[in-house]
Amino acid sequence: MQDSRDYYKILEISREATIEEIKEAYRRLAREYHPDLHPDNPNAAERFKEICQAYEVLSDSVQRTQYDQGFDPIINQRKKQGMSSQDFYVRAVAKALDKDYQGAVEDYTQAIDLNPRFIEAYIKRGAMRYKLGDARGALKDCNEALSINPNLAQAYYYQGRSRYRLGYTQAAIEAYTQAIAQEGDYAQAYYHRGLANNDLNELPLAVEDLQKAAELFRQQGDRTGYQLAQETLKSLSKTQGKLRRTGGNATAVVRNGFGEALRAFKSLALNPVGGILPTFVSLGKQQAIAVGIVFAGIFDLCFVCGAYLGWRDFFEASIPKLIIVGVVPFISLAVISAIARGIFRRKGSFAGDIFLAGASLLPISLLVLASGVSTQLPSSTMPILAVFTSCYLILNLYSGCTQILNLSERAAALLVPIMLLVSTWLSYIAFASLLT
């Protein structure tokens, strides 16, 4: 049965279109219907989803062949008995589009069991395993695919992502370079190679890669990728300028801590999800620690002011004791972050833990400060502030867990509430001790 949706018509191409023509049509239509460009038009989002589905099928030789033969790659749900490796592969792609990554891995595995040389299935399963946080499994799949065909750009790309997540930065750069050698317009490979070069303090190379990534994202109509590359590039450029002026010594890093904190605040306030990684990677370890401590200091100051202004009639506590209590959330979040990295075997540094803890507490500073004068504010002010700042706190924590700690989405979704519960409980114990 032929699919009722004509993917060729959706992409406005002929059935004889080459892969380059398919890519060009996708880029043109993506620029035209990207939801970011039409925030008030719900039809644009639906149209963009159709375009992505059509491209996903027609850009893949196996899916395109199945589609041309009348197989429905999205809604066909044959029973497992009698299904071929291609059937499992196409069903796995449909599950991946629905973000059922574990189900997709299972079907890709079935496809590989039936055809051990199914290159596309290895690559796609590797991508799904990476999304699930299984970097070693993803790396194994990429290596299998490359052992069959050593000219696969996407396999090299996910090999690089997996190596980077496991802490092998130089090896990740080598994999990204191989991906770019196979596909010269691989914007994501340029972007992540830039991040890896920055980790190795190869700032000129990092800037060059990010500039190339930004240009490719722009050409391909990927507005989100373009903005992310531009923000990261801007952060790196500022860091380069400051290092040249100060000589990069530790004293200068400390002296510039407040300036870096202000810049980081602007980035996180405008975009807590997309801004946290570019902000962090633009900082050296000492700068990241300094910024995290500055953020924690702002939270502690707001906490002390709020408690002293509004709560001092309910308990007797000196300002030094309040300062100690205000430090508890920061320390607990940083320690839990470090423990999580150990449990999930993620490479990283305590600088990232400190930066994440400080950045996450920063939005709450406004809430605790306002609580000190809450009786003088309109009754609706505190609930609005509580919702607003709590959302920013959760967004910062979740984004930091997935982007800075390199945890999977599943692990981050589990870890964030645990971090909040444990930190709140320890803070309550510390605060309650003031009343005794």
Side-chain angles (χ1 to χ4, degrees):
M1 181 184 71
Q2 180 64 37
D3 193 342
S4 60
R5 295 159 295 185
D6 191 330
Y7 288 154
Y8 291 98
K9 287 185 178 180
I10 289 174
L11 293 183
E12 301 175 4
I13 56 176
S14 69
R15 291 186 173 273
E16 292 75 32
T18 64
I19 186 63
E20 289 302 321
E21 290 172 335
I22 292 171
K23 287 183 178 181
E24 177 59 32
Y26 168 73
R27 291 168 183 169
R28 174 174 53 83
L29 293 170
R31 286 194 295 268
E32 184 176 350
Y33 292 100
H34 199 288
D36 288 348
L37 301 177
H38 306 278
D40 299 323
N41 183 3
N43 294 329
E46 186 62 31
R47 175 77 167 125
F48 183 73
K49 182 178 179 180
E50 289 182 347
I51 292 167
C52 291
Q53 288 180 344
Y55 177 72
E56 177 74 25
V57 172
L58 298 185
S59 63
D60 184 283
S61 59
V62 174
Q63 293 184 79
R64 185 177 182 181
T65 299
Q66 294 292 322
Y67 177 77
D68 288 341
Q69 293 174 353
F71 185 84
D72 185 336
I74 304 300
I75 63 175
N76 190 306
Q77 298 293 331
R78 295 181 189 175
K79 294 182 179 180
K80 292 175 65 173
Q81 183 177 5
M83 289 179 68
S84 67
S85 60
Q86 288 82 2
D87 297 334
F88 280 112
Y89 177 85
V90 174
R91 193 172 73 176
V93 170
K95 289 182 178 180
L97 288 171
D98 291 334
K99 296 188 177 181
D100 178 11
Y101 301 138
Q102 187 58 51
V105 167
E106 293 171 0
D107 278 345
Y108 285 131
T109 300
Q110 292 282 357
I112 291 169
D113 288 343
L114 292 172
N115 180 5
R117 296 185 63 82
F118 202 154
I119 295 177
E120 291 87 351
Y122 280 114
I123 296 175
K124 297 287 188 181
R125 187 175 70 175
M128 295 301 100
R129 283 177 165 174
Y130 180 84
K131 290 180 181 294
L132 290 170
D134 182 10
R136 295 189 183 279
L139 191 58
K140 182 179 179 180
D141 279 337
C142 292
N143 292 339
E144 287 287 349
L146 291 170
S147 69
I148 300 171
N149 182 352
N151 303 312
L152 302 169
Q154 193 174 21
Y156 282 117
Y157 171 72
Y158 276 105
Q159 184 185 67
R161 295 296 301 274
S162 301
R163 287 175 175 177
Y164 185 81
R165 178 170 282 183
L166 292 170
Y168 309 126
T169 306
Q170 185 59 54
I173 290 175
E174 295 171 2
Y176 294 138
T177 301
Q178 290 282 2
I180 292 168
Q182 300 301 323
E183 190 173 319
D185 61 350
Y186 208 145
Q188 289 284 359
Y190 276 107
Y191 177 78
H192 286 282
R193 190 174 71 173
L195 296 184
N197 274 318
N198 181 64
D199 280 2
L200 296 181
N201 293 321
E202 296 288 350
L203 292 181
L205 294 177
V207 169
E208 182 180 347
D209 279 340
L210 290 168
Q211 287 175 335
K212 183 66 174 179
E215 176 62 19
L216 290 172
F217 281 132
R218 185 188 64 79
Q219 293 176 1
Q220 295 165 13
D222 187 342
R223 185 180 179 186
T224 301
Y226 174 74
Q227 291 177 337
L228 182 60
Q230 287 289 76
E231 290 174 3
T232 308
L233 186 60
K234 186 182 299 184
S235 298
L236 291 186
S237 298
K238 289 182 178 179
T239 300
Q240 275 188 296
K242 289 182 178 180
L243 288 176
R244 284 194 295 267
R245 292 193 299 270
T246 63
N249 56 68
T251 302
V253 170
V254 174
R255 188 168 59 246
N256 290 324
F258 282 95
E260 293 290 351
L262 178 60
R263 180 178 60 79
F265 169 75
K266 292 178 180 178
S267 178
L268 295 175
L270 295 174
N271 187 2
V273 176
I276 194 165
L277 181 59
T279 301
F280 176 70
V281 299
S282 70
L283 301 169
K285 287 186 177 181
Q286 290 178 324
Q287 289 175 316
I289 292 173
V291 170
I293 291 174
V294 168
F295 285 162
I298 293 172
F299 169 80
D300 203 3
L301 177 63
C302 292
F303 170 77
V304 172
C305 291
Y308 190 77
L309 291 174
W311 311 336
R312 65 179 183 271
D313 293 336
F314 300 97
F315 60 88
E316 293 183 1
S318 64
I319 290 180
K321 287 185 177 180
L322 288 175
I323 292 175
I324 294 174
V325 174
V327 171
V328 171
F330 171 67
I331 294 177
S332 60
L333 287 176
V335 171
I336 296 170
S337 175
I339 293 173
R341 284 192 294 106
I343 292 175
F344 291 102
R345 298 181 180 179
R346 294 291 182 264
K347 297 287 185 178
S349 66
F350 200 53
D353 303 321
I354 292 176
F355 177 82
L356 176 57
S360 300
L361 288 174
L362 189 62
I364 303 298
S365 302
L366 180 61
L367 181 65
V368 295
L369 180 61
S371 67
V373 292
S374 58
T375 56
Q376 303 174 34
L377 299 174
S379 59
S380 60
T381 301
M382 292 305 295
I384 292 174
L385 279 178
V387 172
F388 184 83
T389 57
S390 297
C391 289
Y392 260 77
L393 165 64
I394 293 171
L395 286 172
N396 278 334
L397 269 181
Y398 181 80
S399 302
C401 287
T402 55
Q403 299 178 35
I404 296 177
L405 304 187
N406 279 319
L407 300 181
S408 67
E409 294 178 352
R410 178 183 298 178
L414 175 65
L415 180 61
V416 168
I418 291 176
M419 294 177 77
L420 292 176
L421 286 171
V422 173
S423 180
T424 302
W425 177 65
L426 292 175
S427 301
Y428 171 78
I429 292 177
F431 190 77
S433 67
L434 295 177
L435 305 178
T436 60

